[in-house]
Amino acid sequence: MLERLLEGINISEYLLEYVNDWLEYKKERNFTYKETGLKNLLKSVQEKSQQHGDEYVAACIRDSIASGYQGITYKAQSGRPIGNGQDSEWVERWKNA
């Protein structure tokens, strides 16, 4: 299934090694990607690689595995998760309660 899904995706061999590491890690945690989930994972990796480069995505995958995360956490260069820097509405309400 992976080979077929990779046909429309542009991921380098270098980065594909990290994707395979991620899939093996998920398998060890008794999680198996179904086709839709795997397709979206590959698209996400491709998009992040185009935006930030292969080394960035590889480091995020490696760090996510090392931290035992359920998903890949993409981090800003400061090391904090990428976001808009603003709290969501429910966090603001919680802070002001």
Side-chain angles (χ1 to χ4, degrees):
M1 177 172 53
L2 178 61
E3 291 78 21
R4 182 173 50 81
L5 292 175
L6 282 169
E7 289 176 8
I9 303 291
N10 184 19
I11 296 176
S12 69
E13 289 296 320
Y14 167 78
L15 195 51
L16 190 55
E17 287 182 39
Y18 286 89
V19 169
N20 283 323
D21 287 347
W22 177 256
L23 295 175
E24 185 62 31
Y25 163 73
K26 293 297 282 185
K27 184 178 176 183
E28 289 171 0
R29 295 176 58 96
N30 297 318
F31 181 88
T32 304
Y33 278 97
K34 294 184 176 49
E35 185 167 345
T36 302
L38 183 56
K39 183 171 131 183
N40 282 298
L41 169 70
L42 296 173
K43 284 182 179 180
S44 174
V45 168
Q46 174 185 306
E47 289 169 6
K48 293 295 183 185
S49 174
Q50 290 171 344
Q51 293 170 357
H52 303 286
D54 285 357
E55 292 78 16
Y56 164 82
V57 177
C60 290
I61 292 171
R62 185 180 60 244
D63 291 347
S64 295
I65 292 171
S67 297
Y69 294 158
Q70 289 185 7
I72 299 170
T73 301
Y74 295 102
K75 299 180 179 184
Q77 293 200 2
S78 66
R80 295 175 30 209
I82 294 176
N84 63 6
Q86 298 177 355
D87 291 330
S88 66
E89 180 182 334
W90 73 267
V91 171
E92 286 296 330
R93 284 186 297 192
W94 176 79
K95 285 181 178 178
N96 296 323

